[in-house]
Amino acid sequence: MHKYRKLLSSLSLLSSLSACAGSEPATQNVPDTRAAIKITIDPSKTYQTISHFGASDAWSAQFVGKWPDAKKNGIADLLFSQDTLADGRLKGIGLSMWRFNIGAGTAEQGENSGIKDEWRRAESFLNSDGTYNWEKQSGQVWFLNAAKTRGVSSFLAFPNSPPVQFTNNKKGYADHGKSNLSAGKYEQFAGFMSDVVAGIQKKTGILFDYISPVNEPQWDWSDGGQEGTPFYNNEIAGITRSLSKALLSKNLSTKINIAEAGQIDYLYSQSNKPGRGDQIKAFFDKSSAEYVGNLSNVIPVISGHSYFTTSTYKNAVLKRQQVSAALKTVPGLQYWMSEYCILGDNEGEIKGGGKDLGIDPGLYIAKVIHNDLVNANATAWHWWIAISPYDYKDGLIYIDKNKNDGEYKSSKMLWALGNYSQFIRPGAMRVDVSGISENEKLLISSYKNADNKLVTVIINSDSAPAEIELNISRNEPTKRKTYTTSASADLQPGSKPGSGSAVTVPARSVVTVVDLVK
């Protein structure tokens, strides 16, 4: 995650854009909430297939995984559980992907690491003599197992930095914005990553489905704020080729996901980082010197982060449409939005600084998710740190900054993500929504799960309720249920689930409608 910084420009707010990729824009403005808004959902017209919704264990899980059982289990339930309580409430948000941070060994270095915040240092499984200690990162391993037992189906491992034994300066962060790993160490780094995949599988029975070898390679990572190193595209390609060989040599089926671009601009343009941008073309265009799409264990997915590109809404839509257009230049290529939390000042709309458990950031996050899924056609959406001890809008669950014990609280950002993650399961397909122009006040998207449950997520950020009439083409919905996140509700189930087409969406809320269709 890039260090917090401010956006540089101020752009006008969006009045309207098409509701879904492929649908025609309407001319209406913000809808009149006094009349029912008629929406048509066509499950036969499909877009991308959703792979997963996720979050990462950096950095708090290393400590929280050692907290008293009742508290760490309570936190795990909030993140991973798909269970319904006796009163119909949901235990958690049912994440379907968990990201495991492979540490570089700055925790063992302590204050000599140069990273002042102990919570941002990370242990390494690799000892100084080249052997491994699989008892390291035990708090994170606890959460890994907790996710598995609660039904999480996908796991990804990611290092922010190579082990300090391999880096040029023997630290977990770079000097003067220069890559902190020489080409002569690519094979060692790849061997380490494959050893960790194999070691975790032996210890826990969990085989990482994916490994992401670099993180936000566009940033300098030279201030000691956390582990990290920049890389150029040719260096990423070299590391990826070495990692491909290392995984295959150990008969590991783990796939490689690249390249965690620090902003989505770098996926389709060089922007302000020559040699580090235009990553769709760099890694997946057959004519590129950095082409790695032919490697058998590199998945046809490009990953990027939505930071600093989410305001204004109009500008955010345009950037995501550029991502979608660039993806189409490579047949079959998918996009994962693999990291986000609220950073910067976002054109004055919402500031990253200052913890806020309320509905304002929840609504903002819901709009970002909608935009990434609908306009960028993302097939996955991942939050940054699931558990935060900071006075910042970077967590789903907030804790006391106490290594041994403490209190925890959920945020509306958690539950707003849950309006998507709990109900849109891996393999769901986004389907067409028509009848309303897309605008910041009212956003609607719909998804069909493999079990014929149609999931429609409605975001109403207006100060008045909205009456929505949902019509499903060629289908008669039955057993409708609704779940509301608002200032006073956390995925609260509707009191009268029925089969009528009208849904009242309270002011400043996110409502998920689940219909069983034929």
Side-chain angles (χ1 to χ4, degrees):
M1 180 186 64
H2 182 43
K3 62 183 181 181
Y4 307 145
R5 61 185 176 87
K6 293 184 178 181
L7 292 169
L8 301 177
S9 62
S10 178
L11 300 168
S12 61
L13 291 175
L14 175 65
S15 60
S16 65
L17 271 165
S18 59
C20 290
S23 59
E24 292 297 321
T27 57
Q28 67 203 72
N29 292 317
V30 177
D32 183 353
T33 56
R34 292 172 296 181
I37 301 159
K38 296 182 179 180
I39 301 298
T40 299
I41 301 170
D42 186 354
S44 69
K45 187 174 183 180
T46 60
Y47 301 101
Q48 78 271 33
T49 299
I50 304 301
S51 296
H52 29 67
F53 290 88
S56 84
D57 68 357
W59 291 279
S60 299
Q62 63 180 310
F63 298 127
V64 182
K66 299 176 183 179
W67 276 19
D69 285 347
K71 292 181 179 179
K72 63 186 180 184
N73 275 297
I75 292 171
D77 284 341
L78 286 172
L79 293 170
F80 309 128
S81 179
Q82 299 173 55
D83 292 343
T84 300
L85 300 172
D87 61 2
R89 290 183 300 115
L90 295 162
K91 219 179 211 186
I93 67 167
L95 293 177
S96 47
M97 156 71 83
W98 187 237
R99 299 172 64 94
F100 181 95
N101 178 217
I102 302 174
T106 54
E108 289 86 343
Q109 291 180 322
E111 292 185 1
N112 292 330
S113 68
I115 298 174
K116 294 180 180 179
D117 185 353
E118 182 181 6
W119 286 64
R120 293 194 176 198
R121 303 171 195 157
E123 287 184 336
S124 175
F125 293 112
L126 184 65
N127 297 319
S128 57
D129 62 1
T131 61
Y132 287 92
N133 180 354
W134 301 113
E135 299 306 311
K136 294 285 190 69
Q137 299 194 235
S138 60
Q140 294 173 248
V141 170
W142 186 91
F143 270 95
L144 193 67
N145 284 315
K148 181 69 173 180
T149 59
R150 288 164 175 80
V152 174
S153 56
S154 294
F155 298 91
L156 181 148
F158 70 100
N160 285 315
S161 165
V164 294
Q165 294 95 323
F166 301 161
T167 60
N168 296 332
N169 62 5
K170 305 305 177 187
K171 292 186 179 294
Y173 61 94
D175 289 328
H176 309 295
K178 296 180 180 179
S179 302
N180 203 18
L181 185 73
S182 68
K185 296 291 181 67
Y186 290 173
E187 288 191 5
Q188 282 182 286
F189 182 33
F192 164 78
M193 288 187 283
S194 62
D195 284 345
V196 169
V197 171
I200 289 292
Q201 182 186 26
K202 184 175 181 180
K203 181 175 179 62
T204 67
I206 297 171
L207 175 64
F208 287 113
D209 302 273
Y210 312 100
I211 187 164
S212 180
V214 302
N215 179 62
E216 295 186 346
Q218 291 81 18
W219 311 141
D220 287 351
W221 297 117
S222 301
D223 63 358
Q226 65 166 83
E227 295 182 350
T229 177
F231 287 113
Y232 284 93
N233 288 341
N234 65 321
E235 295 171 313
I236 297 169
I239 292 169
T240 300
R241 291 171 184 139
S242 293
L243 179 57
S244 173
K245 292 178 184 177
L247 292 169
L248 292 173
S249 71
K250 291 183 173 64
N251 294 314
L252 294 168
S253 61
T254 302
K255 304 298 183 185
I256 303 170
N257 168 232
I258 53 176
E260 308 278 1
Q263 287 182 204
I264 62 174
D265 316 64
Y266 299 124
L267 297 175
Y268 57 81
S269 70
Q270 291 290 344
S271 190
N272 59 349
K273 297 287 183 177
R276 299 183 186 182
D278 211 1
Q279 292 189 317
I280 289 175
K281 182 177 181 181
F283 301 127
F284 292 100
D285 186 324
K286 293 180 181 179
S287 66
S288 168
E290 288 86 36
Y291 177 62
V292 292
N294 59 331
L295 299 176
S296 63
N297 48 6
V298 170
I299 55 173
V301 172
I302 191 80
S303 62
H305 302 170
S306 279
Y307 297 123
F308 313 116
T309 61
T310 56
S311 294
T312 61
Y313 193 80
K314 179 179 181 179
N315 189 46
V317 168
L318 293 175
K319 286 180 178 291
R320 280 149 185 79
Q321 289 173 339
Q322 288 179 278
V323 171
S324 180
L327 289 171
K328 291 176 182 176
T329 65
V330 181
L333 186 64
Q334 299 177 36
Y335 167 53
W336 287 0
M337 201 307 294
S338 55
E339 187 180 308
Y340 183 72
C341 70
I342 300 176
L343 302 184
D345 67 3
N346 301 289
E347 301 290 351
E349 293 180 349
I350 189 168
K351 294 182 182 295
K355 179 173 64 175
D356 186 345
L357 305 181
I359 194 60
D360 285 353
L363 288 169
Y364 190 86
I365 292 306
K367 290 194 290 185
V368 173
I369 299 171
H370 172 95
N371 203 354
D372 286 328
L373 297 181
V374 169
N375 291 304
N377 287 295
T379 60
W381 203 93
H382 302 163
W383 184 259
W384 175 218
I385 55 173
I387 309 165
S388 174
Y390 297 111
D391 185 23
Y392 213 89
K393 297 179 185 67
D394 55 358
L396 299 176
I397 298 167
Y398 285 86
I399 60 167
D400 298 331
K401 200 172 185 181
N402 185 318
K403 292 192 296 183
N404 303 308
D405 195 358
E407 299 303 319
Y408 65 92
K409 295 179 180 179
S410 66
S411 72
K412 296 297 180 180
M413 293 184 288
L414 172 87
W415 297 109
L417 172 55
N419 277 92
Y420 291 89
S421 60
Q422 179 65 253
F423 308 100
I424 304 167
R425 303 309 300 172
M429 300 185 75
R430 185 168 70 85
V431 301
D432 193 64
V433 176
S434 61
I436 186 173
S437 61
E438 180 169 277
N439 62 82
E440 285 190 275
K441 296 294 185 182
L442 187 65
L443 299 169
I444 305 174
S445 60
S446 193
Y447 311 81
K448 187 175 182 180
N449 286 313
D451 61 0
N452 289 326
K453 286 182 180 176
L454 187 70
V455 177
T456 303
V457 184
I458 307 170
I459 306 164
N460 179 18
S461 56
D462 203 356
S463 57
E467 191 78 5
I468 309 295
E469 185 177 312
L470 295 177
N471 300 299
I472 304 171
S473 297
R474 294 179 291 278
N475 282 276
E476 183 66 31
T478 60
K479 297 183 180 179
R480 170 168 289 175
K481 294 183 179 180
T482 62
Y483 299 86
T484 300
T485 296
S486 65
S488 59
D490 298 333
L491 283 183
Q492 181 68 34
S495 57
K496 295 181 179 180
S499 59
S501 62
V503 177
T504 299
V505 182
R508 299 183 54 72
S509 73
V510 186
V511 172
T512 299
V513 182
V514 181
D515 286 310
L516 182 62
V517 296
K518 296 178 181 178

